[in-house]
């Protein structure tokens, strides 16, 4: 855990950090009258609210409205921790639900700047059920194909973390922030504080990136460009009006804010027009030793040579291909089940022309269950948002150790196969190295897989095939030939569409 707790921004300071001083128009939900001291009649509750109002200048623990971050229009909601610990009460729920409804009506991404201690105990179960309202509103936005980004500030705990925070498509955290379901006063006394920090949650795959405050505006702008909807702020999506220089909050209509439970969505899901497929990356040359010509220009003559070239340590790996392909990369980190796989790179990227592509790239290692789950998460998100997908295949196979089995290797691979099969957006695959059996095939696009001259793909590694067939090691090369795993074999067999070179 970092030694210093970061200074806590107010709700409006957090908004201004991203939008600048003139980039936000506040909205208000329809007014709600509460009984004296709230729904429970909690003695002193009205007085506590008045003190919070005087101290912060806010009427509730959340402010929301429309704004522009970089060049992208969005709906922002921001928690005021100074107002009763940023807790969620009934009126907070009104504002949160209205913010999601505003994003849905105007077809804008939702950006949540979260700092909360959870549900407001002075409102009891009425407060707790606001989490269900938030979850329902977020589900409607998700079904409409609109992205949700959360920036978790210090502290983000309880139900606010479990809905607005962790429920977002992309979760960014400020350094040193306390982040976790259990707040500092309710967790076990001997609990490791690192597990409840932004950095600890990143290590556990629950946060996509820890971003310093001075880099947050640029990072969020890139994410808004990548996730869409792909309309610049100046184009003003449906219902987005110009900024009101008077600063007066805009009142939202009741019918736009609170759909009845079980009622049809205010804006039914709108299918995306299929985007163009991600361009196939160019093949990168293999650095050659002095006076030794590169072998990349020709195809391997034998199966043994194909395998050797794919396993050559000098061959370009995923990092080089992604760096060549994208101008900006935005990683998605972790499977949201407590696992990460450094051998699989996932995220969204922006190409030099500004087009967005989601990527899943194997790095030449055995892919672990957490990697497959992160891949499936990435592919499903891209499909929901209408962003094409690029996969780079390079693995000797799925991890097969006992730990991988306990972590659900089979189920994770099945989840990835299903994500590719269900994708409505085009998926483009380039095999850049080893294509090791089902662990590699799970990331290959049926009908749109391409291969480099330094790759192979096989139902099984030739060494293992020879062992199963009880052949001596000297016959491994002949076995590789029988498997027809060379790039040109893969094209002839109809598995690959082309050899990229």
């Amino acid at each position: 855990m970092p030694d210093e707790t970061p200074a806590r921004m107010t709700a409006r300071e957090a908004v201004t950090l991203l939008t600048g001083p003139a980039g936000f128009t506040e909205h208000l939900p329809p007014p709600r009258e509460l009984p004296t001291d709230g729904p429970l009649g909690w003695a002193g509750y009205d007085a506590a609210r008045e003190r919070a109002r005087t101290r912060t200048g806010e009427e509730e623990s959340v402010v929301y409205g429309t704004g522009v971050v970089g060049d992208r229009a969005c709906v922002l909601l921001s928690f005021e921790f100074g107002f009763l610990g940023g807790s969620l009460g009934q009126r907070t729920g009104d504002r949160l639900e209205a913010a999601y409804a505003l994003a849905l009506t105007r077809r804008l991404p939702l950006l949540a700047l979260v700092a909360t201690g959870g549900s407001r105990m002075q409102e009891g179960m009425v407060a707790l059920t606001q989490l269900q309202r938030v979850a329902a509103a977020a589900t409607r936005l998700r079904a409409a194909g609109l992205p949700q980004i959360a920036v978790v500030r210090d502290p983000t705990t309880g139900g606010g973390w479990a809905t607005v925070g962790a429920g977002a498509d992309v979760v960014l955290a400020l350094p040193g922030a306390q982040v976790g379901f259990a707040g500092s006063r309710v967790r076990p006394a001997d609990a490791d504080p690192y597990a409840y920090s932004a950095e600890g949650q990143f290590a556990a795959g629950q946060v996509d990136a820890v971003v310093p405050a001075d880099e947050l505006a640029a990072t969020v702008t890139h994410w808004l460009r990548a996730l869409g909807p792909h309309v610049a702020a100046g184009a003003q999506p449906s219902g987005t009006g110009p900024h009101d220089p008077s600063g007066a909050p805009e009142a939202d209509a009741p019918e736009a804010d609170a759909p009845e439970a079980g009622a049809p969505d205010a804006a039914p899901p709108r299918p995306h027009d299929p985007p163009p497929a991600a361009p196939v990356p160019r093949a990168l040359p293999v650095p050659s030793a002095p006076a030794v010509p590169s072998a990349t220009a020709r195809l391997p003559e034998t199966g043994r040579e194909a395998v050797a070239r794919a396993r050559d340590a000098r061959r370009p790996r995923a990092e080089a291909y992604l760096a060549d392909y994208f101008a900006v990369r935005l990683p998605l980190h972790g499977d949201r089940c407590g696992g990460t796989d450094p051998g699989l790179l996932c995220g969204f990227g922006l190409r030099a022309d500004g087009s967005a592509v989601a990527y899943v790239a194997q790095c030449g290692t055995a892919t672990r269950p957490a990697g497959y789950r992160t891949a499936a998460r990435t592919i499903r998100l891209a499909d929901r948002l209408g962003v094409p997908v690029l996969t780079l295949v390079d693995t000797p196979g799925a991890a097969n150790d006992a730990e991988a089995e306990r972590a659900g290797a089979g189920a994770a691979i099945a989840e990835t196969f299903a994500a590719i099969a269900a994708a409505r957006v085009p998926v483009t695959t380039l095999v850049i190295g080893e294509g090791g059996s089902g662990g590699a095939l799970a990331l290959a696009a049926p009908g749109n897989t391409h291969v480099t001259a330094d790759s192979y793909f096989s139902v099984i590694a030739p060494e293992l095939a020879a062992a199963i067939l009880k052949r001596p090691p000297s016959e491994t090369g002949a076995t590789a030939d029988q498997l027809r795993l060379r790039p040109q074999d893969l094209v002839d067999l109809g598995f690959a569409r082309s050899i990229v070179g």
Side-chain angles (χ1 to χ4, degrees):
M1 183 82 176
D3 293 333
E4 297 183 2
T5 299
R8 287 174 177 163
M9 292 180 283
T10 67
R12 295 181 191 273
E13 286 172 344
V15 170
T16 301
L17 179 67
L18 293 175
T19 67
F24 178 68
T25 299
E26 185 177 0
H27 284 240
L28 293 174
R32 177 193 292 272
E33 294 297 325
L34 293 180
T36 301
D37 283 333
L40 305 186
W42 187 287
Y45 178 44
D46 283 351
R49 285 181 53 85
E50 183 57 36
R51 288 193 299 271
R53 185 182 299 111
T54 300
R55 183 170 57 251
T56 65
E58 302 295 350
E59 295 294 320
E60 248 305 335
S61 59
V62 164
V63 297
Y64 77 97
T66 54
V68 177
V69 178
D71 60 348
R72 313 307 291 186
C74 61
V75 170
L76 299 99
L77 67 86
S78 186
F79 282 76
E80 176 52 67
F81 189 77
F83 193 102
L84 300 181
S87 57
L88 280 73
Q90 193 171 25
R91 284 177 173 168
T92 320
D94 292 343
R95 292 181 176 224
L96 292 172
E97 189 175 61
Y100 284 91
L102 183 61
L104 184 63
T105 301
R106 301 200 179 186
R107 294 205 59 81
L108 291 173
L110 183 114
L111 174 58
L113 311 175
V114 191
T116 174
S119 298
R120 191 171 297 169
M121 64 179 178
Q122 294 94 331
E123 294 189 22
M125 283 302 299
V126 172
L128 189 63
T129 57
Q130 302 311 303
L131 305 181
Q132 295 172 321
R133 292 178 71 189
V134 173
T139 299
R140 289 189 288 271
L141 200 61
R142 188 174 296 113
L146 295 167
Q148 301 171 46
I149 301 172
V151 176
V152 292
R153 299 147 50 206
D154 182 62
T156 298
T157 62
W161 165 238
T163 52
V164 184
D169 299 317
V170 176
V171 181
L172 309 176
L174 290 176
Q178 180 188 171
V179 181
F181 185 64
S184 59
R185 297 184 183 181
V186 297
R187 68 182 66 136
D190 59 351
D192 177 10
Y194 181 73
Y196 304 86
S197 69
E199 291 74 12
Q201 295 286 5
F202 175 79
Q206 308 292 356
V207 163
D208 292 303
V210 178
V211 184
D214 60 356
E215 299 175 15
L216 191 60
T219 300
V220 170
T221 299
H222 286 317
W223 270 114
L224 290 171
R225 289 172 180 165
L227 299 181
H230 298 287
V231 180
Q236 293 192 6
S238 174
T240 304
H243 172 65
D244 180 3
S246 72
E250 294 186 13
D252 290 330
E255 62 270 17
D257 292 337
E260 294 295 329
D265 292 344
R270 209 166 63 179
H272 295 283
D273 293 329
V280 180
R282 64 176 183 145
L284 301 182
V286 178
S288 300
V292 178
S294 171
T296 309
R298 64 172 181 82
L299 296 174
E301 296 180 1
T302 66
R304 182 190 291 274
E305 182 189 351
V307 173
R309 283 170 59 171
R311 294 175 179 173
D312 189 334
R314 300 171 300 167
R315 173 182 56 76
R317 275 10 189 215
E319 272 287 356
Y321 274 92
L322 294 175
D324 184 67
Y325 193 81
F326 290 112
V328 175
R329 273 189 287 158
L330 303 162
L332 289 174
H333 180 73
D335 64 357
R336 296 298 187 262
C337 298
T340 62
D341 181 358
L344 193 79
L345 303 177
C346 295
F348 283 64
L350 295 169
R351 305 203 71 207
D353 64 359
S355 60
V357 175
Y359 64 86
V360 175
Q362 293 172 314
C363 298
T365 58
T367 303
R368 305 203 64 79
Y372 289 113
R373 285 191 288 265
T374 307
R377 172 193 166 209
T378 302
I379 295 163
R380 287 194 298 262
L381 177 59
D383 186 53
R384 176 158 54 81
L385 300 179
V387 177
V389 177
L390 170 70
T391 65
L392 300 179
V393 170
D394 183 13
T395 180
N400 58 6
D401 54 86
E403 181 182 350
E405 290 297 334
R406 285 192 291 267
I413 296 169
E415 187 178 352
T416 309
F417 270 118
I420 293 275
R424 296 158 295 180
V425 296
V427 181
T428 301
T429 297
L430 180 63
V431 186
I432 62 173
E434 293 194 78
S437 194
L441 188 67
L443 290 176
N448 197 24
T449 291
H450 307 260
V451 294
T452 67
D454 297 306
S455 68
Y456 79 87
F457 219 117
S458 179
V459 66
I460 189 172
E463 298 88 349
L464 298 178
I468 291 172
L469 296 171
K470 299 181 180 180
R471 294 175 178 176
S474 60
E475 294 188 25
T476 299
T479 304
D481 290 336
Q482 283 185 290
L483 288 168
R484 297 196 65 192
L485 48 72
R486 300 173 303 166
Q488 58 267 47
D489 295 325
L490 300 173
V491 173
D492 291 343
L493 292 170
F495 171 74
R497 288 182 60 180
S498 72
I499 300 172
V500 178

